[in-house]
Amino acid sequence: MGTRGSASAEYFLAKGYAVIFFYRDESLMPFSRKFPHLFENLEVNNSGQVCVKEMKGLSTAVQRYSACRDRLLYIPFNDVNRYLTTLETICTHLRPLASSVLIYLAAAVSDFYIQQDKMPTHKIHSTDGDLQLTLSIVPKLLNKLVHEIVPNAFIISFKLETDESILIEKARNALQKYGHRLVIGNILNTRKERVVFVDSDQNEEIRLNDEQKQNNVEIEELIVDRLVKLHQKFVETEHLS
């Protein structure tokens, strides 16, 4: 849960970016994401000190985290309402940074939710009979981000589908509707090895080759590497305009 965001955060940090990691409670976290059973690998030595059993990659992860911890800020959310309000607040504070801001919307937000003012205050009792819920469509904040809050930022959204035949069309429709810079399309079954960058002019496939798969290269590394180049070009263009 949250592999795309946590892995991407690590690679953005490796590229020198400062990262605000806006995450849902209990999501995978940068650097610790590969060690979910860390507690089970702890032991106490004869001196009463807590030691970690050998875990492949742990020391490297700790070193990388230590090297960039001053460029990483964690901000949690626990429901759709908090996600929408906090994301807007974060972007409002980032607005003065203009084109140097890259907003990477990797979270899979629900299409429907219960509005805050319709949430029950107290426990719902079964003695009241059958329960009927009315779900509302989640407000689309992307349009407001693009046109009002951070109009000069490099904004990226994701489009996840199960049907390959409609992926590009859905991604391009999102671009036309909201007017942001890029949609990264992916298919559920192949999302860890292939994505498609869709912008206003073209489609570009990013795919792990056989050698990269054998070497356990993550698709997020390729995604971030390409995004950094696109963002740099975007910043240069904005400065010239």
Side-chain angles (χ1 to χ4, degrees), residues 116-135:
Q116 189 66 40
D117 58 358
K118 295 181 180 179
M119 295 285 284
T121 303
H122 302 290
K123 178 183 177 182
I124 300 174
H125 297 281
S126 59
T127 53
D128 295 336
D130 294 340
L131 177 64
Q132 182 174 351
L133 296 176
T134 300
L135 300 178

Side-chain angles (χ1 to χ4, degrees), residues 42 56 131 198 208 220 233:
L42 300 179
K56 184 178 180 180
L131 177 64
V198 181
L208 293 174
E220 288 80 14
K233 183 177 180 180

Side-chain angles (χ1 to χ4, degrees), residues 13-52:
L13 288 162
K15 291 290 186 179
Y17 280 66
V19 172
I20 298 175
F21 187 68
F22 185 41
Y23 68 99
R24 194 180 77 176
D25 287 342
E26 300 182 2
S27 293
L28 294 175
M29 306 292 281
F31 304 105
S32 65
R33 61 191 173 90
K34 294 182 179 180
F35 312 101
H37 305 296
L38 179 59
F39 192 82
E40 298 173 8
N41 287 274
L42 300 179
E43 58 185 9
V44 180
N45 63 20
N46 294 332
S47 301
Q49 296 175 319
V50 177
C51 302
V52 182

